[in-house]
Amino acid sequence: MEWEFTAEQVVKGDVDYGLEQFRRDLGEEVRMNMASADELQQQCAYKLIYDMCYALATDRKLDDVLATYAYDPPTCQFLREVEPLMSGNVGMLGAILQRMIMDGVEAGMSLERAIDEAAARHQVAVAVAA
């Protein structure tokens, strides 16, 4: 995806771009790039791509993600092919998550609690969209 702002601006709080907007925009990007696929294929691809972006944005390695799908070589191949194309999305998602943590710290939470709150907010956003 391309934005009219940077990940750094999101981290600093200069731009209000959150998890819900990112997930919406990523979903639209997947739909546009997979226009010939049916809705179920698009949804499956979106979930795979989002999960990979989240894992990479939270400092996991691609091999760790692929290990989850070792039983499914086509999925592994798909993720290997799409991973280099997602570097900007991974950076932006990382910035959003950092901003969520910083919001908690700025509200007076300990760093550990702010991380836990950001993780809980992420889980709710993912569950609501599922």
Side-chain angles (χ1 to χ4, degrees):
M1 288 183 286
E2 292 187 29
W3 301 272
E4 295 180 9
F5 48 88
T6 66
E8 183 177 327
Q9 289 174 303
V10 171
V11 170
K12 289 180 177 180
D14 295 338
V15 173
D16 185 24
Y17 184 68
L19 189 58
E20 292 78 13
Q21 292 96 339
F22 176 84
R23 289 177 55 85
R24 177 203 61 221
D25 292 347
L26 181 63
E28 184 59 30
E29 181 180 29
V30 169
R31 281 188 293 283
M32 285 183 353
N33 288 322
M34 297 184 68
S36 63
D38 67 37
E39 187 175 338
L40 181 59
Q41 290 171 321
Q42 290 175 5
Q43 288 174 356
C44 289
Y46 166 77
K47 287 178 182 181
L48 285 169
I49 291 169
Y50 180 81
D51 288 348
M52 180 191 66
C53 288
Y54 180 79
L56 297 176
T58 56
D59 290 331
R60 293 185 189 95
K61 304 294 179 220
L62 181 61
D63 287 340
D64 297 334
V65 176
L66 296 177
T68 305
Y69 300 103
Y71 64 90
D72 187 0
T75 295
C76 292
Q77 184 62 33
F78 172 74
L79 291 173
R80 276 190 197 95
E81 290 174 6
V82 78
E83 186 263 341
L85 306 172
M86 291 294 120
S87 62
N89 291 339
V90 169
M92 186 59 74
L93 181 54
I96 291 165
L97 297 170
Q98 287 178 39
R99 182 71 249 164
M100 289 168 64
I101 293 166
M102 291 170 63
D103 286 345
V105 170
E106 291 170 2
M109 294 179 196
S110 68
L111 179 59
E112 295 78 20
R113 182 161 177 235
I115 291 170
D116 290 345
E117 287 290 321
R121 286 177 49 206
H122 175 263
Q123 289 293 58
V124 167
V126 171
V128 166

